[in-house]
Amino acid sequence: MSDHESHEVHVHAHPTAKKYLGIAIILTIITVIEVAIFYMPTMRPFLPPVLLTLSALKFAIVAMFYMHLKFDHRLYSWVFVVPMCFAAAIILALLALFSHAPIVR
């Protein structure tokens, strides 16, 4: 038995140009939604969490497809995603902590 027969070869197909165009259109639509929400006066109280959520969604799409994390081993995704979630949690906690702190003069 040769080495080629004893090891399975995992080949995955990378996205086609059509798929990349579809992803670009999705990212554009999300950006248009972000801009529209920014100019809606009724959305002012919800602006930071909504924009952060849409921004995180765009980031995830870019990381999955343009950085090819979707097609790599899951370990690489975990090594990338877990620290990002940890950093986001710290940033959100600091924003919550300091946005309600009284100003000392």
Side-chain angles (χ1 to χ4, degrees):
M1 186 186 262
S2 71
D3 286 336
H4 288 52
E5 293 173 8
S6 64
H7 299 289
E8 290 184 32
V9 177
H10 297 286
V11 178
H12 52 72
H14 284 281
T16 61
K18 183 178 178 182
K19 185 75 160 183
Y20 281 127
L21 184 60
I23 295 165
I25 290 170
I26 290 170
L27 292 171
T28 302
I29 290 169
I30 295 171
T31 302
V32 168
I33 292 169
E34 287 174 332
V35 172
I37 287 173
F38 180 79
Y39 288 107
M40 296 171 81
T42 57
M43 291 299 292
R44 288 286 172 200
F46 310 106
L47 198 58
V50 170
L51 290 180
L52 284 171
T53 302
L54 290 173
S55 180
L57 176 64
K58 287 194 315 185
F59 175 78
I61 292 171
V62 168
M64 282 178 16
F65 290 98
Y66 292 116
M67 294 173 62
H68 303 286
L69 284 179
K70 183 175 182 192
F71 308 103
D72 286 337
H73 193 273
R74 285 197 183 268
L75 175 65
Y76 298 132
S77 295
W78 280 103
V79 167
F80 184 75
V81 170
V82 170
M84 287 301 299
C85 291
F86 185 65
I90 290 172
I91 290 169
L92 291 174
L94 288 172
L95 284 172
L97 178 68
F98 291 113
S99 66
H100 298 295
I103 298 174
V104 178
R105 291 185 189 220

